[in-house]
Amino acid sequence: SGGRYTLEFKIAAVKQITQIGDSIPDVARRLSITNTSLYDYGQGMVIMHQLTKPHSLKRCAKTLDTQGV
């Protein structure tokens, strides 16, 4: 379910990969989550980061539009 873990948990999980350098399978196993969930958390962080940049909002919207989202 999408609401199972807090935003703080997801950020900490992604940081283990992006800042510490652990692999997705290792972090997922340690946290008892799936590789897919961890990958999705990372993708969500990228989207959130892009949306905080005003000049990127239009680019993000355009990308979503071309993907039919």
Side-chain angles (χ1 to χ4, degrees), residues 3-69:
R4 183 171 174 192
Y5 298 105
T6 65
L7 180 59
E8 291 79 11
F9 174 88
K10 294 174 183 182
I11 290 170
V14 171
K15 282 184 177 180
Q16 290 183 46
I17 298 161
T18 61
Q19 294 180 359
I20 298 172
D22 292 344
S23 71
I24 289 176
D26 287 344
V27 174
R29 191 171 26 261
R30 251 193 328 266
L31 299 176
S32 299
I33 60 177
T34 65
N35 292 353
T36 301
S37 290
L38 191 49
Y39 178 80
D40 289 346
Y41 298 166
Q43 290 300 306
M45 300 300 153
V46 169
I47 290 169
M48 284 175 35
H49 177 73
Q50 289 301 316
L51 291 177
T52 62
K53 297 178 179 179
H55 67 277
S56 297
L57 186 56
K58 287 182 183 177
R59 188 173 352 116
C60 243
K62 187 175 183 179
T63 300
L64 292 173
D65 187 48
T66 60
Q67 293 174 352
V69 177

